[in-house]
Amino acid sequence: DDATSCPFVLQGGHGVISVSSNLVPAAMVEMIHTALKNEGPKAEELRKTLAPLFDILFIESNPIPVKTAMELQGHFSAHMRLPLCEMGHTNRELLASTLRAAGLIH
């Protein structure tokens, strides 16, 4: 998963199937490639920068938060089909706040 992908690669893993890459593909590529080059301190710095995003994108069941985040960015309407449901108001506000702090929405 995104939150453990950097340490996983630094310990010999080969990559990640990433949720966060839907929002920050270049940042995820940079972190993983840095880890693959075994540049631990730099990779860890990149991971720490992305950590709030990793956390918020799993505040509810996947893919609800990432679809909602992409809606907040204006990509599409995040209509959920059962058994998924719309993100709750409180969590949606937390998501929006985190995205604003990361400069991903205005």
Side-chain angles (χ1 to χ4, degrees):
D1 76 70
D2 293 339
T4 61
S5 61
C6 184
F8 171 74
V9 171
L10 287 169
Q11 293 177 16
H14 297 286
V16 61
I17 298 171
S18 173
V19 172
S20 302
S21 290
N22 289 285
L23 298 174
V24 290
M28 287 298 295
V29 167
E30 180 182 11
M31 182 187 73
I32 295 300
H33 283 183
T34 301
L36 285 167
K37 291 187 279 186
N38 205 28
E39 297 176 12
K42 183 177 178 187
E44 179 59 19
E45 182 180 315
L46 294 167
R47 186 202 63 77
K48 284 182 182 177
T49 300
L50 293 169
L53 186 61
F54 297 159
D55 292 341
I56 201 70
L57 289 178
F58 292 94
I59 195 168
E60 290 189 16
S61 296
N62 185 38
I64 296 169
V66 72
K67 286 181 118 184
T68 304
M70 293 183 80
E71 177 182 60
L72 291 168
Q73 287 185 318
H75 293 292
F76 54 76
S77 175
H79 174 74
M80 304 295 168
R81 291 181 294 174
L82 292 174
L84 301 177
C85 60
E86 303 297 319
M87 181 175 261
H89 177 73
T90 301
N91 285 346
R92 186 180 175 96
E93 288 301 314
L94 287 170
L95 174 65
S97 176
T98 301
L99 294 176
R100 270 189 225 94
L104 297 174
I105 64 170
H106 301 291

